[in-house]
Amino acid sequence: MNDLLIEASGLKHTYRNGATSVPVLDGVSFSLRQGKAVAIVGPSGSGKSTLLNVLNGLLVAEAGELRIFGQSSQQLSQNDWAELRRTQIATLFQDGNLISTLTVSRNIAFRAGLAGLAENGGAALMDQLGIADTAHRYPDQLSGGQRQRVALACAFVMQPKLILADEPTGSLDYATAQRVTPLFFDAIRERNVGALIVTHNPELAERCDRILELREGALRPWDLAPSS
Ligand SMILES: Nc1ncnc2c1ncn2[C@@H]1O[C@H](COP(=O)(O)OP(=O)(O)O)[C@@H](O)[C@H]1O
Ligand SMILES: [Mg+2]
């Protein structure tokens, strides 16, 4: 079986606002297999979040080829993409993307339900993530770090094939980030999940199979000590 989750070749994306255009992605090529994690680093504004949104179908690249789970993106309708986002592709957005009118435990149960899964499992995840005591609070009653952990629980509870994570430890203190990091690698090892993780956390990046840098619109192997 083909175990490639993502095959991207020459992806381009330009934001256009009236007369102004901001070219962001300019030939992004890479692939991701089941059971592998790729870290993406790169300066602020280099297009990392844009790339994740092309990979989950919320943005359509203007050029290039994208195959997701072996299927060409050109064959996927908006409904197909929505179904993938409900059941197979978990995106951890930078802002958490929680439903403000639902409590923490309802947010998590809702995501499991959308993916067609029984609601149990949420309590164990809340325990693992250290947010069990927030179960009955609403998102606006949480700290940034708690919201980020609820978003992680929402991603893991849907048992996706692919996790796209946008700075998943960016709002967490060191100790909490240390506690959250193994969850990615448990999912990767135990359920053969593939993960693309935008991160500036060196410990998270170094546990990934590869580190790529997004620079000048393209992905390159990340060089710890550039020679020039
Ligand atoms: N909706 C948008 N319209 C126009 N420009 C945008 C939009 N979203 C992001 N950008 C611009 O695209 C560039 C890349 O943004 P982004 O993907 O968020 O970068 P990163 O996640 O690496 O910080 C930035 O210059 C940003 O200002
Ligand atoms: Mg970003």
Side-chain angles (χ1 to χ4, degrees):
M1 195 195 105
N2 185 348
D3 64 354
L4 282 169
L5 300 179
I6 301 174
E7 296 168 84
S9 168
L11 294 179
K12 296 192 182 199
H13 185 75
T14 301
Y15 289 108
R16 294 176 206 283
N17 259 323
T20 54
S21 63
V22 184
V24 178
L25 305 179
D26 188 20
V28 166
S29 302
F30 78 105
S31 59
L32 176 70
R33 289 181 187 279
Q34 281 182 347
K36 299 287 181 193
V38 171
I40 299 210
V41 299
S44 178
S46 58
K48 304 180 298 295
S49 298
T50 302
L51 174 60
L52 294 191
N53 283 332
V54 167
L55 299 174
N56 68 23
L58 290 176
L59 285 177
V60 178
E62 66 193 15
E65 280 183 46
L66 173 63
R67 295 182 78 81
I68 198 109
F69 309 134
Q71 251 186 310
S72 166
S73 63
Q74 288 175 335
Q75 291 163 356
L76 295 172
S77 66
Q78 286 296 317
N79 277 344
D80 294 333
W81 273 115
E83 176 68 12
L84 288 177
R85 287 191 296 268
R86 266 195 299 278
T87 60
Q88 321 230 332
I89 303 176
T91 307
L92 271 150
F93 292 96
Q94 254 167 319
D95 60 7
N97 204 38
L98 302 173
I99 299 169
S100 62
T101 54
L102 296 181
T103 62
V104 165
S105 60
R106 288 277 116 208
N107 260 282
I108 296 167
F110 179 73
R111 287 294 293 268
L114 276 185
L117 299 171
E119 294 185 9
N120 52 21
L125 272 170
M126 283 191 284
D127 264 344
Q128 282 176 301
L129 288 159
I131 48 170
D133 56 337
T134 68
H136 303 297
R137 290 198 225 157
Y138 290 87
D140 68 359
Q141 300 169 324
L142 303 175
S143 70
Q146 288 169 331
R147 259 199 300 280
Q148 199 156 41
R149 281 177 283 164
V150 178
L152 274 162
C154 288
F156 289 120
V157 82
M158 64 180 275
Q159 302 192 3
K161 273 194 195 164
L162 172 63
I163 295 177
L164 304 173
D166 206 347
E167 305 196 21
T169 63
S171 313
L172 304 181
D173 60 75
Y174 180 77
T176 309
Q178 291 277 81
R179 175 172 181 170
V180 157
T181 296
L183 292 178
F184 281 96
F185 299 95
D186 288 350
I188 289 163
R189 204 173 39 243
E190 288 164 17
R191 290 205 298 274
N192 221 14
V193 170
L196 195 66
I197 307 175
V198 171
T199 185
H200 291 106
N201 176 336
E203 293 179 19
L204 183 51
E206 278 160 17
R207 285 191 62 177
C208 293
D209 297 283
R210 273 188 299 159
I211 305 179
L212 300 176
E213 183 181 19
L214 185 56
R215 190 157 37 96
E216 291 160 13
L219 283 174
R220 303 176 167 85
W222 189 57
D223 194 352
L224 253 178
S227 50
S228 57

